Amino acid sequence: MTAAADPERFDVRSLAERSRTGGNPVIPLVADLTKAVGEEYGPFVHRGATSQDIMDTATMLVASRTLEPVLTDLTRTAQALSRLAVAHRDTTMPGRTLTQHAVPTTFGLKAAGWRSLVLDARDRVRAVRDTLPVQLGGAAGTLAAFTAYGAEDALALPDAYARELGLTAPRLPWHTLRTPIADLAGCLAFAAGALGKVAADVLVLGRTEIAEVSEGSGGGSSAMPHKANPVRSTLIAAAARRAPQLAAVLYGSLVAEDERPAGAWHAEWEPLRELLRLVGGAARDAVGLAEGLRVHPDVMREHLDLTHGLIVSERLSAELAPLLGRTRAKELLTEVARRTYTEGARRPNCWPRSRS
């Protein structure tokens, strides 16, 4: 059977076309494999199992193999962000809340926050990867057919099956208990969102009028020769926007009726495949983004002066409160801020900028 299962012997297009008749590709695959092994061994092909056993197990194998490079890329990204955090622990920049300057912060703290999210994503992905189970329950999850075909201990079969494939053995058949799929959906959507946060910050901080960071190698424009578009951040952000909706379909498939469902199981295939592809691409792009990110401390320092010192008003309020009272200190600083803006003490719109 192992020799006969050589992928080169099967016509994938034909399998796909014939899968419509039975609603899944396992049925024509079993027919072709039975034919390939010959009459002597044909009766042993797929004996006791059901189509969903094969599809679910194949899905877990695909997920396991896909998550391996994702984990590698998440680790590399976290390492690059760690280097940025250390290098810029004292690089002061404006902290922004609700789009406005709030209080000073450091770029090192921002990079450390990015790293924390990426490590959280890596830990979730790894935990799921390490527990992906095989599926082997037979027609209704009872393993009954295996006993009828002569298995002395049908309950031992999932363990042996799992060892053969390098996956884990489930406690129960999970034909309609879709925890493994939901766990995959969750860790992948989280990973996309974690990387999306990094990309979103880089996209904002890399705007022409802000220019506090820039991608190491931007992409060109089809119409404007001067542009260096933040391509990696853009692709990551696009993946992060799509991932939650794909995960929602997978969570919806938890509502699976009976011992084997009609539609819920089938609805998982495409969104899970696409979610794996999106997160794999985003993780790859995140490595290039983090390892090549250029930071411009001089611009960050320059921006601290945009509010003529008002960015430290919180600290001033804390210092004045013991002397004037909390309410009076806030009133005084609020009036100073108002006068700063209304009496023309604004910074000119165009100052020359340099980049390091």
Side-chain angles (χ1 to χ4, degrees), residues 16-81:
E17 291 173 344
R18 288 181 288 149
S19 69
R20 294 188 61 81
T21 302
N24 73 75
V26 176
I27 296 173
L29 176 62
V30 168
D32 290 357
L33 184 57
T34 301
K35 181 179 179 181
V37 300
E39 293 184 6
E40 182 179 359
Y41 301 107
F44 295 94
V45 175
H46 197 59
R47 191 160 72 172
T50 190
S51 296
Q52 192 174 350
D53 289 334
I54 309 307
M55 279 297 294
D56 282 348
T57 300
T59 299
M60 295 297 102
L61 285 171
V62 169
S64 179
R65 294 166 184 170
T66 305
L67 294 181
E68 200 60 43
V70 169
L71 285 169
T72 299
D73 287 339
L74 290 174
T75 297
R76 284 184 59 187
T77 300
Q79 291 170 343
L81 294 175

Side-chain angles (χ1 to χ4, degrees), residues 137-276:
T142 64
L143 298 169
F146 293 105
T147 301
Y149 282 120
E152 295 182 2
D153 183 8
L155 293 177
L157 291 177
D159 288 336
Y161 188 40
R163 287 194 300 271
E164 179 74 14
L165 296 177
L167 298 172
T168 63
R171 295 180 180 178
L172 293 169
W174 47 280
H175 294 138
T176 52
L177 309 174
R178 308 305 283 174
T179 301
I181 299 295
D183 285 345
L184 264 172
C187 78
L188 290 169
F190 184 92
L195 298 176
K197 159 61 177 171
V198 180
D201 279 347
V202 171
L203 289 170
V204 170
L205 297 179
R207 289 176 179 270
T208 304
E209 60 270 26
I210 298 178
E212 293 178 355
V213 302
S214 57
E215 288 196 10
S217 56
S221 166
S222 62
M224 294 164 284
H226 70 281
K227 292 188 68 181
N229 294 322
V231 175
R232 289 189 174 93
S233 299
T234 299
L235 293 175
I236 295 169
R241 290 177 183 274
R242 293 181 61 193
Q245 286 69 40
L246 294 168
V249 176
L250 299 176
Y251 279 120
S253 293
L254 283 166
V255 185
E257 72 283 357
D258 301 327
E259 280 60 56
R260 288 184 57 223
W265 160 51
H266 306 75
E268 297 168 346
W269 303 341
E270 289 182 326
L272 180 55
R273 179 188 65 187
E274 191 65 12
L275 193 52
L276 287 166

Side-chain angles (χ1 to χ4, degrees), residues 297-315:
D298 56 333
V299 179
M300 294 177 176
R301 177 61 185 86
E302 182 182 326
H303 286 167
L304 289 171
D305 296 329
L306 283 173
T307 57
H308 294 281
L310 293 179
I311 198 168
V312 296
S313 64
E314 182 186 55
R315 175 62 183 270

